[in-house]
Amino acid sequence: MGMSLSRHPRLSQVPVVLLLILSAIAIFPIAGIAPQVIPTIEIPTYIHVIVETFSVCIALFVFVVSWISLNGGTPLKIPALSCGFLVVALFDLMHLLSYPGMPTMVTPAGADKAMMFELSASISCAFTLVGVAFSPNIFLTKRIVNWAFFLWGVIYFVAASWLQLEYGSDLPKMVDPMGVPTPFHRACDVLVILAFVVAASRFYFSSDSEIKHFDVRDLFIATIAAALAEVCFLDSGRQDLVEINGLLLKTISYYYIFVSLFVTTIKAPYLKLDAEVEMRKEAEQRALRMAHHDALTGLPNRRLLEDRVTVALQSLSRHGHKILALVFIDIDDFKKVNDLHGHDMGDLYLLALADRMNRVIRRSDTLCRQGGDEFVILLNDLDEISQVLTVIKKLQSVMSSPITLSTLQLGVSMSIGIAMYPEDGENFITLFKNADKVMYIAKAAGKNTFCFIDSSSGESILGRDIEFSHAY
């Protein structure tokens, strides 16, 4: 199944529009209408030098980025691309240094010499991309193989350069005396174009899983741009403007190869690291939540309750007219629910109880599961004790109706103990112990009631007969 270039997120509008414009110009040499459509403009040599230098730099970036990513488990395609583009960069550099008017390098600079190195760079680029397109997705387990690729590339470049510099006069000519590419040059260019088309076809009809470690969309654009550049070079030497167009297309080709490689070898590991860091943060947050919340109900546990009570007490110490209450709740005869109906039903029962309790308290209060069948409510920032008693009244009212679980109806009975700041303690431990103590007094008095200590008399007061008149 082919890819859709329109869905590719990194294709910004400017490079694509530029590519289309340059591509349109590239067809003129084939049509034979370049002289009529494009005026003959002599482009200064320094323009050629600037554009070619830029393409050499990008080719070297491709080599450097891919080479530094090599390790013992490197895919075969990466060292092939790395060393291939080292050769491409070196041939392009030789082409740059061989322009007419450049200093003598072993042999005098000239159009034929420059075209010979330009063709060598194109051939190297084409067959490197064909190799990337069709090489198997295997990993190299030894670094020595990477150096073997490097050594092969250096030997190939040195041998080809020596042959062209020493025996250039015996090789087929690249341009005729008028500066027009010879049939041999054109034939070689056509073969290079066909190689690019073959590689582009492979990239187009392949998915990222088939050609791993690269973005096939970027490689497809790169090979198309390279093929169009070679189309321009078919007319090289006759239309300087078309030749500059070819150099720009070649630079775009190298750029997209660099992007494809950079994303997979440099950026992707950092993105993976970011994802792992985010996963670790989420795991830490889950661990922190588990450390401060009950696993069954998701309610705060005793540790978090203690933190909130401590913070609330510090606030109340600066506002002496406010009070705070801890309400300790024990579900009467909960063990019978587990014994008669099983622990799963008991868990559902506890969840239903927690849900009902949460409906009664304010958002600023805290409902905590102490463990088992015990819950604790922190009532904070109260003006008088009657507000606490009103909450208890609401709790008893909400719990008065049975809880329906599947086909079961289970009644609710609670024994409640209340401890208030500052009368029953000025810290969490003291308040918690006193609330637990009076809860057992309520349970001993027959269950399903509440109990607190009268601050004036110090006696335990049960709540069955207390009148409630204050709103909460």
Side-chain angles (χ1 to χ4, degrees):
M1 182 175 180
M3 62 176 177
S4 174
L5 291 178
S6 62
R7 294 197 301 267
H8 190 257
R10 289 192 300 277
L11 292 183
S12 61
Q13 294 181 355
V14 174
V16 174
V17 171
L18 179 61
L19 179 61
L20 293 175
I21 294 174
L22 297 177
S23 301
I25 300 176
I27 68 173
F28 292 150
I30 292 181
I33 58 175
Q36 290 76 31
V37 177
I38 303 177
T40 301
I41 301 176
E42 287 295 331
I43 304 297
T45 301
Y46 72 86
I47 300 291
H48 291 257
V49 172
I50 292 174
V51 177
E52 191 69 61
T53 300
F54 192 61
S55 64
V56 169
C57 290
I58 297 180
L60 286 175
F61 286 155
V62 171
F63 164 71
V64 171
V65 169
S66 54
W67 185 260
I68 63 176
S69 69
L70 298 179
N71 52 55
T74 301
L76 173 66
K77 297 177 185 294
I78 293 183
L81 183 73
S82 173
C83 298
F85 262 80
L86 172 63
V87 174
V88 171
L90 293 175
F91 276 132
D92 275 335
L93 179 62
M94 295 295 287
H95 168 61
L96 171 64
L97 297 176
S98 300
Y99 276 149
M102 298 294 284
T104 298
M105 181 182 61
V106 181
T107 59
D112 195 73
K113 180 180 177 181
M115 291 301 103
M116 194 176 299
F117 282 114
E118 180 273 327
L119 181 60
S120 299
S122 298
I123 293 173
S124 301
C125 180
F127 286 97
T128 296
L129 290 176
V130 169
V132 171
F134 290 96
S135 61
N137 290 314
I138 61 174
F139 282 79
L140 304 176
T141 57
K142 297 181 179 180
R143 288 188 61 89
I144 191 172
V145 180
N146 301 330
W147 286 103
F149 271 100
F150 178 83
L151 183 61
W152 171 87
V154 171
I155 292 175
Y156 167 70
F157 167 73
V158 171
S161 299
W162 175 78
L163 180 67
Q164 295 175 31
L165 291 174
E166 289 295 327
Y167 299 97
S169 59
D170 298 327
L171 297 176
K173 296 296 182 181
M174 296 291 106
V175 293
D176 61 20
M178 300 297 296
V180 177
T182 63
F184 174 79
H185 188 187
R186 291 178 183 273
C188 291
D189 279 338
V190 169
L191 291 177
V192 170
I193 292 170
L194 291 176
F196 281 130
V197 170
V198 169
S201 300
R202 170 66 172 165
F203 293 138
Y204 183 83
F205 291 105
S206 299
S207 63
D208 289 326
S209 60
E210 292 177 296
I211 300 183
K212 297 181 179 179
H213 323 299
F214 299 96
D215 190 307
V216 293
R217 298 168 181 83
D218 287 334
L219 290 180
F220 171 74
I221 295 174
T223 50
I224 290 298
L228 291 171
E230 288 303 311
V231 172
C232 291
F233 295 149
L234 285 172
D235 199 51
S236 179
R238 200 178 72 185
Q239 294 290 331
D240 280 339
L241 189 59
V242 174
E243 184 179 1
I244 288 294
N245 172 69
L247 292 176
L248 292 175
L249 281 166
K250 182 173 73 171
T251 303
I252 291 174
S253 171
Y254 293 177
Y255 166 76
Y256 274 99
I257 293 173
F258 172 76
V259 169
S260 175
L261 185 66
F262 178 82
V263 168
T264 54
T265 61
I266 302 298
K267 187 177 180 180
Y270 283 102
L271 294 176
K272 183 179 179 181
L273 179 61
D274 288 342
E276 291 176 352
V277 170
E278 189 63 30
M279 290 175 60
R280 177 165 294 185
K281 287 181 179 179
E282 292 176 358
E284 291 174 351
Q285 291 174 356
R286 287 195 299 269
L288 183 63
R289 180 172 179 80
M290 292 176 64
H292 291 87
H293 291 79
D294 175 58
L296 174 63
T297 63
L299 296 173
N301 60 14
R302 175 171 171 168
R303 180 183 298 179
L304 182 54
L305 175 68
E306 182 175 357
D307 290 343
R308 293 186 178 180
V309 170
T310 301
V311 171
L313 290 175
Q314 292 172 351
S315 176
L316 290 179
S317 66
R318 297 190 295 270
H319 305 85
H321 62 283
K322 296 288 185 178
I323 64 173
L324 172 150
L326 278 188
V327 180
F328 201 117
I329 303 171
D330 182 89
I331 308 303
D332 298 326
D333 302 319
F334 174 70
K335 185 175 183 298
K336 292 182 180 180
V337 176
N338 278 336
D339 293 343
L340 293 175
H341 307 293
H343 288 278
D344 289 342
M345 192 63 69
D347 289 345
L348 294 175
Y349 182 63
L350 290 173
L351 287 169
L353 289 172
D355 181 63
R356 288 191 178 187
M357 293 180 196
N358 260 325
R359 298 178 196 172
V360 173
I361 63 175
R362 302 169 300 176
R363 294 178 64 88
S364 58
D365 298 328
T366 298
L367 172 61
C368 154
R369 186 186 177 205
Q370 158 69 10
D373 60 352
E374 295 178 338
F375 295 84
V376 182
I377 299 177
L378 164 63
L379 302 176
N380 187 26
D381 198 27
L382 303 176
D383 295 315
E384 51 190 20
I385 187 174
S386 60
Q387 292 177 291
V388 180
L389 302 180
T390 301
V391 174
I392 304 303
K393 176 70 172 180
K394 289 182 179 180
L395 274 174
Q396 291 177 328
S397 176
V398 167
M399 297 300 185
S400 61
S401 58
I403 292 177
T404 301
L405 300 174
S406 186
T407 59
L408 296 176
Q409 283 196 332
L410 304 175
V412 182
S413 174
M414 301 181 301
S415 296
I416 302 172
I418 305 169
M420 286 172 287
Y421 168 87
E423 291 83 359
D424 299 324
E426 296 186 355
N427 57 65
F428 172 77
I429 298 298
T430 305
L431 289 168
F432 190 87
K433 287 181 177 179
N434 286 332
D436 184 41
K437 177 181 176 181
V438 293
M439 181 274 292
Y440 278 104
I441 294 175
K443 188 176 287 288
K447 303 179 180 179
N448 201 30
T449 188
F450 67 90
C451 180
F452 64 95
I453 304 297
D454 184 4
S455 59
S456 60
S457 64
E459 297 179 354
S460 300
I461 299 178
L462 295 173
R464 288 194 177 97
D465 301 321
I466 296 180
E467 294 292 334
F468 301 97
S469 59
H470 289 79
Y472 178 57

